[in-house]
Amino acid sequence: MRITYTGRQVELAPAQLRKIEAQFAKLGKLLDGKDEREAHVILSMERHLHRTEINVNYHNHPLVGLGEDSDLFTSIHSAIQKLEKQAIKVRAKWRDTKRAPRRMVAEAATAEPTATAGESGEEKRVYRINHHQNRKPMTLDEALLEMEKDRDYLVYRDAETDRLAVLVRRRDGNFDLVEA
């Protein structure tokens, strides 16, 4: 984690900088994943009150930790603790959200494969079709037109009788109609 310091009426010695960087070690482990993050630390002092502001951009979220105390290191420590809480919250949100494209999620919901064992030992898949979708009833002529799309069978709801019907293509090119 790269740390940039801006001191307003406050200057830090090299020993103090090392102590602060040790406190940033845990925060750096939380935030640094594949790329290195940059933290901007602003130190200021007003009427014997030290103020610390730490800004970090993490997954397009600006994280800001503010700390105030009469002691400089206590204010820095409280700002780092607030920043750690924010980082954990954003990281959990990022990890737990579903980031799959909507098209793929919809396809997975409509056809779910179920594996079964075949006779020859290879796995065959059975796809369950969502039959609760609103499908309009068809006539026999519409079902025959639908069968021209190189289908071997078609299950549809008959418009005249409002019953399920199965239209099956025979090997000789003719059709069998099974009505429920």
Side-chain angles (χ1 to χ4, degrees), residues 133-175:
Q133 292 178 342
N134 294 331
R135 299 176 195 229
K136 68 175 197 162
M138 299 176 131
T139 62
L140 181 60
D141 295 331
E142 290 173 339
L144 286 170
L145 288 174
E146 191 72 27
M147 287 288 288
E148 290 179 2
K149 298 179 183 176
D150 295 330
R151 291 187 171 187
D152 292 329
Y153 67 94
L154 177 69
V155 179
Y156 68 98
R157 184 169 296 280
D158 193 357
E160 297 168 0
T161 61
D162 200 36
R163 291 184 177 176
L164 281 180
V166 179
L167 190 61
V168 180
R169 184 185 310 268
R170 295 171 52 176
R171 290 184 183 173
D172 61 0
N174 295 324
F175 297 98

Side-chain angles (χ1 to χ4, degrees), residues 10-75:
V10 176
E11 289 189 28
L12 295 174
Q16 292 173 327
L17 287 175
R18 284 193 300 272
K19 189 174 182 181
I20 291 172
E21 287 175 1
Q23 290 181 348
F24 269 102
K26 182 179 178 185
L27 183 65
K29 288 178 184 176
L30 282 174
L31 296 178
D32 290 338
K34 296 177 183 173
D35 55 341
E36 191 173 0
R37 305 283 177 211
E38 183 174 342
H40 185 82
V41 180
I42 302 169
L43 304 170
S44 63
M45 184 174 145
E46 283 184 28
R47 296 185 183 180
H48 306 294
L49 185 66
H50 292 277
R51 293 181 186 211
T52 304
E53 178 181 347
I54 304 171
N55 298 317
V56 177
N57 191 11
Y58 184 65
H59 290 296
N60 296 326
H61 291 281
L63 304 179
V64 179
L66 299 172
E68 293 182 345
D69 199 273
S70 59
D71 182 37
L72 177 66
F73 289 105
T74 308
S75 70

Side-chain angles (χ1 to χ4, degrees), residues 88 90-99:
I88 290 170
V90 169
R91 188 174 177 176
K93 270 187 187 178
W94 178 256
R95 181 189 61 227
D96 295 341
T97 55
K98 295 180 182 176
R99 292 183 299 274

